[in-house]
Amino acid sequence: VLMLEDTHAVEQRLHTERLATMGRVTAAVAHEIRNPLAAIAQASALLAEDDPSPAQRPLLAMIEQNVQRLDRTVNDVLEAVRLPSAAAGIEAVPLDATVNTIVQDWLHPHPQGERLQWLPGARHTHVLFDPEHLRRVLVNLLDNADRYASTARGAIRVETRLLGAQALLTVWSEGAEIPPAVREHLFEPFTSAHPRSSGLGLYLSRELCRRYHAKLRYERSLRGQRAGNAFVVRLPLG
């Protein structure tokens, strides 16, 4: 009996197995990092209470910033490993109102002026998505846009609209096209061109979307005559 199997399917299975193995290893490493990281944070806090000299203050601030950065990375890794595969009993939430709250909250520590435009277009539309998880997805997309977009007016746009039996949530940012080599692995863990990024934001966002039967994709698109990168979430209606 001759058994034939699609090469692409085999490659996908091997890739999934590699990611699962990598996830287990990185989760173990993340757990091991937590205790010494907490000790460093505590030691730094105690030194800060002991009236540090002007020369010591910037060094303590540097320690605190990097401890916080490592802590965020550890939390991202652990969250990526323990994301559940299904969601039940989720109530529908108003899309525009929820997105508006998230955008306004994000703007407090990230003021944008006219650089960011919020264009609601799904009035009275409800979607099946936990609001805190939607916040996580949108904040990840806004952080990416803030990091890579130009500084021009309207360089970042958050848009919603209704499309048939789905709602679309789009974060578009004016900027250079993502290189094909990066785009190919865009939603894989630890993929980032930015040195201060954990490379887990887009991966976590896609996994959260899958939990609610939503889809997250990337596309190159225009706004007027301006080219940019768009991340589009297709959400099931509630």
Side-chain angles (χ1 to χ4, degrees):
V1 178
L2 180 63
M3 301 293 291
L4 297 177
E5 190 170 0
D6 184 8
T7 303
H8 179 70
V10 173
E11 291 176 349
Q12 286 293 104
R13 187 172 68 248
L14 290 173
H15 177 67
T16 301
E17 291 172 357
R18 283 196 298 269
L19 288 179
T21 301
M22 182 175 65
R24 289 191 292 271
V25 172
T26 52
V29 172
H31 277 295
E32 289 298 319
I33 289 173
R34 273 199 150 165
N35 286 337
L37 190 62
I40 293 170
Q42 185 177 13
S44 176
L46 290 172
L47 287 171
E49 292 176 358
D50 195 25
D51 192 23
S53 68
Q56 291 173 327
R57 289 191 189 107
L59 296 177
L60 289 171
M62 187 184 302
I63 292 172
E64 183 180 356
Q65 289 169 3
N66 281 280
V67 164
Q68 291 175 353
R69 178 185 168 197
L70 282 171
D71 188 57
R72 284 194 300 269
T73 300
V74 168
N75 288 334
D76 283 347
V77 169
L78 294 176
E79 185 173 349
V81 172
R82 61 175 176 252
L83 273 177
S85 58
I90 297 299
E91 295 183 3
V93 296
L95 180 59
D96 281 0
T98 304
V99 170
N100 182 70
T101 299
I102 297 169
V103 169
Q104 299 309 319
D105 289 346
W106 182 83
L107 284 172
H108 284 299
H110 307 89
Q112 301 290 317
E114 294 185 340
R115 185 185 183 217
L116 184 144
Q117 295 180 353
W118 158 222
L119 305 170
R123 189 181 180 188
H124 305 312
T125 298
H126 286 65
V127 295
L128 293 172
F129 214 106
D130 179 86
E132 285 307 311
H133 287 162
L134 185 59
R135 176 184 296 274
R136 184 62 186 270
V137 171
L138 183 51
V139 165
N140 281 333
L141 298 180
L142 285 169
D143 285 345
N144 277 351
D146 185 38
R147 187 176 294 130
Y148 296 109
S150 74
T151 58
R153 177 184 178 187
I156 301 174
R157 299 190 186 189
V158 181
E159 308 163 348
T160 57
R161 68 186 179 97
L162 192 60
L163 183 65
Q166 293 180 317
L168 301 186
L169 167 61
T170 303
V171 177
W172 177 92
S173 58
E174 182 180 40
E177 185 173 5
I178 298 174
V182 176
R183 195 164 62 237
E184 185 179 352
H185 304 285
L186 199 56
F187 295 99
E188 294 179 9
F190 310 111
T191 299
S192 176
H194 197 277
R196 291 189 174 273
S197 171
S198 67
L200 287 167
L202 289 176
Y203 169 73
L204 287 171
S205 295
R206 174 170 275 189
E207 291 303 305
L208 282 171
C209 287
R210 284 175 173 168
R211 183 183 183 192
Y212 299 98
H213 307 292
K215 294 180 180 180
L216 172 62
R217 74 174 192 275
Y218 162 79
E219 63 184 35
R220 185 72 175 168
S221 62
L222 298 173
R223 294 298 183 274
Q225 300 299 315
R226 304 162 70 179
N229 301 303
F231 287 89
V232 183
V233 184
R234 288 179 174 263
L235 300 149
L237 300 183

